[in-house]
Amino acid sequence: MKNKIFSGFFWKFNEQISSQLVTFIISIVLARILTPKDYGIVALINVFISLADVFVTSGFGSALIQKKDADDVDFSTIFYISEIFSIVVYMFLFFIAPYIADFYNNTDLTVIVRVLALKLPLSAFNAIQQAYVSKKMLFKKIFISTTVSSIISGIVGIIVAYLGYGIWALVVQYILNTIIISIALFVQLDWHPQLKFSWASGKPLLSYGWKIVATSFIGTFFNQLRTLLLGKMYTPAELAFYNRGQKFPELVSQNIDGTISTVLFPAISEFNDDLSKVKSMIRRSLRLSTFIIMPIMFGMAATSKPIILILLTDKWISSVPYMQYLCIAGAFGTISNTNMQAISAIGRSDVLLKLELVKKPLYLILLLIGLRISVLAVAYTMLIYTICSTVMNMSPNRKLLNYKFKEQVSDILPALSLSLIMFLVVDSLTLLNLPMMIIFIIQIVVGIVIYVFLAIIFKLEAWNYLLSTVLKR
């Protein structure tokens, strides 16, 4: 299993890095061609697309992964259920599109919503493919398909933008990316939808999956509510600055934390009847993920100004403070994700749902406070919420896995302490009277040297384990 986890992490990480790097480069090119208003409009539409996407991509795939002996009947049954859901949800969006346009006082949004929502049935199919990949830990197969889809869709998006079609460049890029990756996986994978359906097979999967869907929907709804209210109360440009500042920490979260979660969930599911083994795996994962992600997030927060100016030009300078707050929030997000993966893997989707119901009133209160002040205040209140949410997500595993709060803090504290020290030093370097590119390079080098030096001096267990594992491979 250790070999499978390492191999899965290697290929999933490479897939994430390659696709996200391509997407990142393309997004920079598009950001130079398109206006903040274009990105702001797409962000508004994605509020509804993201909510709809929850019903077709989350929950049911997780149920297939969590079930130890899932077979072709299970996969085909969930495939048909997911497709039916996706069509129903698409029709709903089709009919409410004019009302969405009226809500934002922009009649152009009607057709954009209807076209962009066409990706939902494709996403439903791709979600089952992704579940099969995770279940069998065949992450190598998805590496090429994801990279190719990102390159082709990105190039087409840039061409459409250069031709002057504005916002449609982003719409074409999103839809084409889903189409290509679905086709590529269809060619590579052994599993394809079959004419098999069993309600007896699907019922227990739905029993587990609907709680995951509900949990994901609540989380996505409140996250998108933030965008919706920002778009209503402030200008699309202000919303775009917030979203652009959010993209950089999201890039790290998707590439590293997302990789760890994707590989960790099926691995833990293999041992979900041995809670002591699950606890051991979670402790190791938490130490490693915080050791890797926290310095990156705090480092990005310290270098946010050079990153924005160098990559996006000074027209996006207003994104800097948003990026700083959201990077720090992202540093704590990995703690929540690791704990929630453990809860999900042992089959306690009911606990995840209860957690969301407890956390979201606090989210709403903090969001409303931030909205009454400014867009930047929203970013600050989201940082506060992330920290509070992290503590809440740590709580259930004290009973479920006997993973005491004190133990979790001891696993997190080394990486957090070293990251804070590194952040203070790197952030002070922005005061240097040098060209921005030179400052950025100095910050990166100094940050890496300080963090690694401190890890060696204090003999961090995560550093020693990571180094020995990589060298051994």
Side-chain angles (χ1 to χ4, degrees), residues 239-444:
L239 173 60
F241 291 134
Y242 184 103
N243 283 350
R244 179 51 53 182
Q246 190 178 33
K247 287 297 180 183
F248 290 95
E250 275 186 353
L251 187 68
V252 174
S253 176
Q254 290 173 4
N255 285 332
I256 302 178
D257 200 22
T259 297
I260 294 172
S261 298
T262 301
V263 177
L264 188 65
F265 178 52
I268 295 176
S269 296
E270 288 292 315
F271 302 97
N272 56 24
D273 53 355
D274 185 352
L275 297 184
S276 62
K277 179 69 173 178
V278 172
K279 177 183 176 181
S280 176
M281 295 175 72
I282 286 298
R283 293 199 71 174
R284 176 71 68 190
S285 176
L286 190 57
R287 290 170 188 161
L288 287 175
S289 62
T290 53
F291 179 80
I292 295 170
I293 293 175
M294 281 191 167
I296 295 176
M297 287 299 192
F298 277 97
M300 287 179 63
T303 59
S304 55
K305 184 176 180 181
I307 290 174
I308 294 294
L309 291 177
I310 293 170
L311 296 179
L312 301 180
T313 73
D314 57 0
K315 73 177 180 180
W316 292 94
I317 189 66
S318 297
S319 298
V320 171
Y322 302 109
M323 181 176 169
Q324 291 174 328
Y325 285 133
L326 296 172
C327 277
I328 296 174
F332 290 92
T334 186
I335 303 170
S336 289
N337 289 337
T338 302
N339 275 279
M340 293 177 75
Q341 288 300 318
I343 297 170
S344 182
I346 62 176
R348 296 304 304 270
S349 55
D350 58 314
V351 174
L352 295 180
L353 180 56
K354 291 174 183 176
L355 275 173
E356 287 301 309
L357 294 174
V358 171
K359 291 184 298 184
K360 285 310 179 268
L362 174 63
Y363 178 99
L364 186 59
I365 292 171
L366 290 171
L367 175 62
L368 293 176
I369 292 173
L371 285 169
R372 291 182 63 86
I373 301 173
S374 67
V375 180
L376 184 59
V378 172
Y380 183 70
T381 56
M382 290 303 97
L383 169 59
I384 295 173
Y385 170 75
T386 300
I387 296 173
C388 295
S389 176
T390 297
V391 175
M392 293 181 186
N393 288 333
M394 292 165 64
S395 181
N397 282 326
R398 291 183 299 171
K399 292 183 178 180
L400 295 176
L401 300 176
N402 195 31
Y403 191 7
K404 296 180 174 59
F405 190 81
K406 183 178 179 180
E407 290 178 303
Q408 294 198 49
V409 171
S410 68
D411 291 336
I412 297 164
L413 197 57
L416 178 59
S417 302
L418 269 57
S419 298
L420 285 171
I421 294 171
M422 181 267 292
F423 169 80
L424 294 174
V425 176
V426 173
D427 187 54
S428 66
L429 296 175
T430 56
L431 300 175
L432 294 174
N433 188 22
L434 294 170
M436 194 60 65
M437 178 62 77
I438 301 299
I439 292 176
F440 184 49
I441 294 173
I442 293 173
Q443 285 179 310
I444 293 175

Side-chain angles (χ1 to χ4, degrees), residues 26-35 39 308-313 315-316:
I26 290 169
S27 70
I28 291 173
V29 176
L30 288 173
R32 289 172 174 268
I33 301 172
L34 303 176
T35 66
Y39 275 92
I308 294 294
L309 291 177
I310 293 170
L311 296 179
L312 301 180
T313 73
K315 73 177 180 180
W316 292 94

Side-chain angles (χ1 to χ4, degrees), residues 18-44:
S18 60
S19 64
Q20 290 298 324
L21 181 61
V22 171
T23 303
F24 178 66
I25 293 171
I26 290 169
S27 70
I28 291 173
V29 176
L30 288 173
R32 289 172 174 268
I33 301 172
L34 303 176
T35 66
K37 182 180 178 181
D38 291 327
Y39 275 92
I41 291 174
V42 170
L44 294 177

